[in-house]
Amino acid sequence: MEQQIYKGKLTKFHWLKITKKEELTKNTFSLEFEIPGNLKENFTFDAGQFVSIKFRSHKNDVIKDYSMTSAPYEEKIALGIKMNSAEGDASELFRNYNVGDHLLVSEPAGRFTLISKPSEFRTIVGFAAGIGITPILSHFKNILHTEPRTRLFLFYGNKSCEDLIYREQLDNLARNCGDRLQIFYFFSQEKTSNSFFHGRLDDKKLSLIINQILHLDDTDEESTIWDAVDEVLICGKGDMIKTLANACYHHGIPKKNIHFELFEEYNDDIYPVEKEFPLIENIDVEFKMLGREYSAELPDNKERILQQLLIQKFSVPYSCKSGICGSCECILEEGEVDLLENEYLTEREEEKGHILACMSIAKSKKIKLNFDLS
């Protein structure tokens, strides 16, 4: 039975049965769900997307988002989940739900996706840290299955070998796909026989990777592998994403070809904001949310609209605060704003007046927003 549940936007959830549960490391586990025949269309998804799960945790209902590790052709929902603490919600999910149980699972969402190009020769590079491997694993499985001419390079960082998840699955992919997939593991808190693979994935490590791994290109003697990179995928903590995204950009990759997924709230810009705005004070903001009308006065436009509404204790929808997840998407019905960064909205949505409140600076004395998108 379908349920409409509000999580920033009204979202459709369905009861799905757990078919597999596996402890991966001391603080990570995987869940797999069966998709009934009558829900196949509802759970059609693109590689890199996520689902939300509603479950009981410490006597409360909670909703959490988890990226899928499954690829679309596998026709199942498989999730990788990290337990940040023994008393956290993910730990409750691990302890209290088992194979055969049913959970409310949302229809797939998210835009950490790529356009499939099966007839092209492409080079795609992935950077992942820890649980950030989950959507990139989905991407890489799907690309290997659907794009016979694409080659892939994965740089995967963890604290130690014990923290590395999905190694067997990754190594099998590399073995079965010949030279189309190369994987390199890095460890920040464990000594390695080759010091190159010790440390975090950051801007300095990227320079070494470009010069020592992604250098000579067997398919083109006059250029390097890095020169041929078409798309970059990054998933991990905010600081890692910021560092690598900027480093990739400074090494020649256009921003539109750098894609990232953030699993946590991040109160910083991924790319530096280089714009300056004339100061506007005493800004009137009206907004619609869940069918109700609200009003607020912002002292000025030195901060983004979302952050100022949160300071005033309005329960406006948000997640990442970095223009990536789309949770704070709304329609600008009146007034003018500047959208600083946008990793979520399409050009057509922007043309229709859609903005991301977390990345919007007010440029007029009155702003009217609609979070209901209707």
Side-chain angles (χ1 to χ4, degrees):
M1 181 182 295
E2 174 188 307
Q3 287 193 23
Q4 294 265 10
I5 299 174
Y6 182 76
K7 56 176 296 289
K9 305 178 182 73
L10 280 175
T11 305
K12 292 181 180 179
F13 282 70
H14 306 268
W15 289 101
L16 297 185
K17 183 170 72 173
I18 301 172
T19 56
K20 185 177 180 181
K21 174 183 173 183
E22 181 182 1
E23 187 172 6
L24 303 173
T25 66
K26 62 183 178 182
N27 64 351
T28 59
F29 67 100
S30 64
L31 288 180
E32 290 187 12
F33 294 88
E34 176 184 59
I35 305 175
N38 64 316
L39 292 178
K40 293 287 187 185
E41 187 174 334
N42 302 78
F43 283 92
T44 299
F45 65 92
D46 294 320
Q49 290 193 299
F50 66 87
V51 296
S52 304
I53 299 179
K54 182 179 180 181
F55 58 97
R56 296 287 290 176
S57 175
H58 302 292
K59 299 181 180 180
N60 295 310
D61 288 331
V62 298
I63 298 175
K64 297 293 178 181
D65 300 335
Y66 299 113
S67 285
M68 289 178 280
T69 60
S70 45
Y73 68 88
E74 295 178 298
E75 296 187 343
K76 65 181 180 182
I77 300 293
L79 312 174
I81 300 171
K82 182 178 179 180
M83 297 176 283
N84 291 310
S85 69
E87 297 305 317
D89 294 326
S91 296
E92 284 285 282
L93 177 60
F94 178 72
R95 283 191 292 263
N96 297 332
Y97 295 89
N98 295 291
V99 172
D101 291 337
H102 287 74
L103 284 169
L104 277 168
V105 181
S106 75
E107 295 181 4
R111 295 186 179 175
F112 184 54
T113 57
L114 293 176
I115 297 173
S116 181
K117 297 181 179 181
S119 61
E120 293 188 14
F121 291 90
R122 295 207 291 176
T123 299
I124 296 176
V125 174
F127 297 96
I131 197 65
I133 190 62
T134 49
I136 292 180
L137 177 56
S138 173
H139 270 299
F140 276 33
K141 286 194 291 187
N142 190 59
I143 292 167
L144 291 168
H145 183 76
T146 60
E147 299 187 26
R149 295 174 174 83
T150 297
R151 59 181 175 177
L152 301 164
F153 295 86
L154 174 62
F155 303 93
Y156 184 21
N158 284 277
K159 292 179 181 178
S160 67
C161 278
E162 290 184 354
D163 298 298
L164 202 164
I165 57 174
Y166 297 113
R167 178 158 197 169
E168 183 178 356
Q169 192 172 158
L170 289 167
D171 289 345
N172 284 338
L173 280 175
R175 275 192 296 269
N176 295 334
C177 296
D179 58 359
R180 292 185 56 214
L181 170 62
Q182 294 186 47
I183 302 174
F184 303 88
Y185 300 111
F186 295 79
F187 302 104
S188 61
Q189 296 181 15
E190 181 175 291
K191 288 186 177 180
T192 57
S193 57
N194 185 339
S195 60
F196 181 89
F197 298 103
H198 177 74
R200 297 178 183 275
L201 292 171
D202 56 18
D203 52 344
K204 294 178 181 177
K205 192 67 74 176
L206 176 64
S207 295
L208 293 173
I209 287 170
I210 292 172
N211 292 325
Q212 298 186 35
I213 296 178
L214 302 178
H215 50 109
L216 299 179
D217 191 344
D218 293 337
T219 65
D220 185 351
E221 295 181 356
E222 296 183 358
S223 66
T224 67
I225 296 173
W226 182 257
D227 292 332
V229 170
D230 296 281
E231 310 287 346
V232 174
L233 300 167
I234 311 172
C235 190
K237 288 186 175 293
D239 287 338
M240 171 206 162
I241 292 175
K242 179 176 181 175
T243 298
L244 287 177
N246 281 278
C248 289
Y249 174 66
H250 291 306
H251 280 285
I253 307 296
K255 288 182 181 179
K256 66 182 178 64
N257 300 109
I258 304 171
H259 314 270
F260 36 84
E261 181 77 307
L262 189 62
F263 286 169
E264 60 187 7
E265 179 182 329
Y266 187 59
N267 293 304
D268 201 358
D269 298 311
I270 299 299
Y271 296 113
V273 176
E274 300 172 351
K275 299 179 181 178
E276 293 186 2
F277 304 95
L279 178 65
I280 300 175
E281 297 181 320
N282 303 320
I283 302 163
D284 292 323
V285 177
E286 297 177 2
F287 60 97
K288 181 180 178 183
M289 184 173 63
L290 286 176
R292 294 183 60 187
E293 304 288 342
Y294 299 86
S295 62
E297 183 178 273
L298 309 186
D300 51 49
N301 65 340
K302 293 180 181 179
E303 298 291 337
R304 293 98 191 277
I305 294 172
L306 175 81
Q307 284 79 339
Q308 296 206 56
L309 292 176
L310 291 174
I311 288 171
Q312 296 189 33
K313 306 300 182 183
F314 288 103
S315 298
V316 285
Y318 75 95
S319 182
C320 73
K321 293 186 179 178
S322 298
I324 300 172
C325 70
S327 296
C328 63
E329 178 185 0
C330 54
I331 297 173
L332 178 66
E333 296 184 339
E334 184 179 337
E336 186 180 357
V337 305
D338 198 298
L339 188 60
L340 300 178
E341 284 289 346
N342 168 35
E343 296 296 324
Y344 184 83
L345 298 172
T346 64
E347 289 185 10
R348 187 172 181 182
E349 286 169 335
E350 285 195 66
E351 290 170 358
K352 290 182 176 180
H354 290 230
I355 65 170
L356 301 174
C358 72
M359 298 303 293
S360 294
I361 295 287
K363 294 177 66 178
S364 59
K365 291 279 289 184
K366 184 176 181 181
I367 300 291
K368 188 174 182 180
L369 306 174
N370 185 344
F371 285 96
D372 290 345
L373 305 179
S374 61

